[in-house]
Amino acid sequence: MDFDPAALQAAVALDADSRDRWRREWGLLMDLAVWGDLRSGQIGLTGKLRKRVLEFGERLRSYGNDRSWIPHPREQIKNALSTSLQMRESLEKLGEIAEQFNDGADLAALRAVWKAISAALMADVVTREGLLVQLLNQQYQEEV
């Protein structure tokens, strides 16, 4: 049996409002990482933060990509699950680095932006993964 196109689209596609919101928040995060007054006793931490924020932006872009170009629905789902896993890893790595800063005029702003974007994204990731797994399980049960 084929996947329900509406259910597939709901599971693999990110709505435009969320994508635009997270893009803006990522821009704020990047601005703080590059231009913000952030301090730590650890040498090179700001460079690591910038690298992780950039990587996070790339993962966020992949997470929100249109998957309609992928011909088979099952491959769309697998691609969405893969990018979801990469998003989780990126969130974890960036969160670890952000917590290592201990001073600076922009530290509170960095933590506030990070808290907002990471909480919203994790909620979306968990929901989306549930839908994707449900679709795959449904098809596997029908094939058996």
Side-chain angles (χ1 to χ4, degrees):
M1 181 178 166
D2 290 334
F3 289 101
D4 173 25
L8 178 67
Q9 185 65 17
V12 301
L14 193 61
D15 66 277
D17 290 338
S18 294
R19 185 175 45 248
D20 292 344
R21 174 182 153 216
W22 291 331
R23 183 177 179 181
R24 281 191 311 274
E25 289 177 355
W26 175 81
L28 291 171
L29 198 62
M30 191 63 173
D31 184 63
L32 288 165
V34 173
W35 295 102
D37 177 22
L38 304 169
R39 298 185 200 135
S40 171
Q42 188 176 353
I43 296 174
L45 192 61
T46 54
K48 288 180 184 179
L49 176 68
R50 292 175 187 140
K51 178 183 174 187
R52 293 295 181 200
V53 171
L54 183 58
E55 177 187 274
F56 171 65
E58 292 170 349
R59 299 291 184 234
L60 185 58
R61 171 76 165 101
S62 293
Y63 184 72
N65 269 352
D66 176 26
R67 291 175 177 78
S68 62
W69 64 271
I70 301 172
H72 197 283
R74 186 178 296 168
E75 295 304 316
Q76 290 181 27
I77 292 170
K78 288 165 58 177
N79 180 273
L81 282 169
S82 173
T83 59
S84 181
L85 177 62
Q86 292 171 356
M87 174 63 70
R88 281 179 179 265
E89 291 172 356
S90 185
L91 283 167
E92 183 180 325
K93 289 176 184 177
L94 182 53
E96 289 172 2
I97 290 175
E99 288 299 316
Q100 294 178 26
F101 286 92
N102 55 16
D103 197 13
D106 294 317
L107 182 58
L110 175 78
R111 288 192 174 150
V113 171
W114 175 244
K115 184 178 178 181
I117 195 170
S118 63
L121 266 169
M122 273 310 293
D124 190 79
V125 163
V126 168
T127 301
R128 188 168 310 283
E129 286 175 351
L131 293 171
L132 293 166
V133 168
Q134 183 180 15
L135 282 172
L136 283 177
N137 286 339
Q138 180 182 2
Q139 186 172 34
Y140 287 131
Q141 289 172 356
E142 291 172 358
E143 288 178 356
V144 172

